[in-house]
Amino acid sequence: EPEVTQTPSHQVTQMGQEVILRCVPISNHLYFYWYRQILGQKVEFLVSFYNNEISEKSEIFDDQFSVERPDGSNFTLKIRSTKLEDSAMYFCASSETAGGPYNEQFFGPGTRLTVL
Amino acid sequence: GQQLNQSPQSMFIQEGEDVSMNCTSSSIFNTWLWYKQEPGEGPVLLIALYKAGELTSNGRLTAQFGITRKDSFLNISASIPSDVGIYFCAGRDDKIIFGKGTRLHILP
């Protein structure tokens, strides 16, 4: 069964450093998403991406964040200058279409980002 | 903003018991979802609800979408040890809005 994959599974970085989290969405999916989950809290929407553009972003997704689909398979989340409060699990998700019934998002296993 | 209130926050039950958890929303969603998350993993979709009043089952799991599209419940019958985890309700239009989760503990 096709699945969303994410690398690395765990990233440790120093405050102020740049990190890139990578995702490979399901191959026939066209809509891509990033969510984050701070330890012990709920999963929060960050950004949605379609046709090489951001479709929607949350208040969390400030200028320190960017997303890119550099090739036909990868979808990346970059944090330019990490802060301690960026420590969280980051989940990538993808779906065939957006909205509407029966077009659900499938989540990857996540990348645990630890900022020291 | 849109918020989902999920209850209870945690549950301790005996193996074999039935479980019920609820979710209410401050706004209407077109789709309600129930996810399960196990430690170190991403959310896994259990049940999706698309029509107001819809009652859907997936094995021992049953969920219903409220008539007002602002609430839902999830029932698990005859719980087993592998049911342990965090259950999230979620509303979806395009992006998904998650509840805070119900952490299910099963006592031997």
Side-chain angles (χ1 to χ4, degrees):
Chain A
E1 185 174 329
E3 58 184 16
V4 177
T5 59
Q6 291 184 242
T7 54
S9 57
H10 191 184
Q11 175 89 47
V12 181
T13 189
Q14 294 287 333
M15 188 170 57
Q17 294 295 306
E18 174 183 288
V19 294
I20 298 176
L21 310 182
R22 291 182 167 78
C23 168
V24 178
I26 294 173
S27 61
N28 64 329
H29 286 187
L30 301 177
Y31 291 79
F32 314 115
Y33 310 83
W34 283 101
Y35 293 79
R36 81 168 185 192
Q37 184 180 33
I38 294 172
L39 185 63
Q41 298 187 23
K42 67 179 180 179
V43 179
E44 300 173 289
F45 169 78
L46 291 178
V47 66
S48 58
F49 189 86
Y50 169 71
N51 200 27
N52 284 319
E53 290 184 344
I54 290 175
S55 306
E56 186 175 358
K57 59 183 181 179
S58 70
E59 293 177 351
I60 304 168
F61 194 88
D62 61 22
D63 292 343
Q64 293 299 313
F65 291 88
S66 62
V67 289
E68 191 179 28
R69 187 155 165 82
D71 53 45
S73 60
N74 289 285
F75 178 51
T76 62
L77 174 69
K78 181 192 292 185
I79 309 175
R80 289 190 185 82
S81 178
T82 50
K83 304 186 287 288
L84 295 176
E85 54 265 37
D86 293 328
S87 294
M89 284 288 287
Y90 287 82
F91 294 106
C92 173
S94 69
S95 63
E96 283 188 58
T97 64
Y102 314 110
N103 293 308
E104 300 313 325
Q105 298 173 27
F106 292 85
F107 284 76
T111 293
R112 179 172 297 282
L113 177 64
T114 302
V115 182
L116 302 175
Chain B
Q2 296 168 310
Q3 292 205 20
L4 272 67
N5 297 306
Q6 191 169 349
S7 63
Q9 286 188 333
S10 65
M11 304 181 71
F12 290 82
I13 63 166
Q14 295 285 341
E15 183 179 347
E17 287 185 354
D18 296 343
V19 175
S20 184
M21 55 191 80
N22 301 292
C23 197
T24 60
S25 170
S26 59
S27 54
I28 292 172
F29 287 101
N30 289 323
T31 300
W32 274 76
L33 307 165
W34 284 94
Y35 284 90
K36 180 186 178 186
Q37 186 180 29
E38 298 187 18
E41 297 184 11
V44 174
L45 182 64
L46 299 174
I47 290 181
L49 301 161
Y50 302 108
K51 300 176 183 176
E54 179 180 358
L55 181 71
T56 296
S57 293
N58 178 8
R60 293 180 295 106
L61 278 60
T62 302
Q64 186 161 29
F65 199 173
I67 293 292
T68 64
R69 290 182 171 269
K70 296 173 76 172
D71 63 289
S72 177
F73 70 75
L74 174 71
N75 289 340
I76 306 173
S77 63
S79 58
I80 59 178
S82 60
D83 291 334
V84 165
I86 304 175
Y87 292 80
F88 290 99
C89 67
R92 178 178 70 72
D93 290 323
D94 290 334
K95 66 180 182 287
I96 296 174
I97 305 295
F98 284 85
K100 292 186 177 181
T102 294
R103 185 178 293 272
L104 180 62
H105 305 265
I106 296 180
L107 305 172

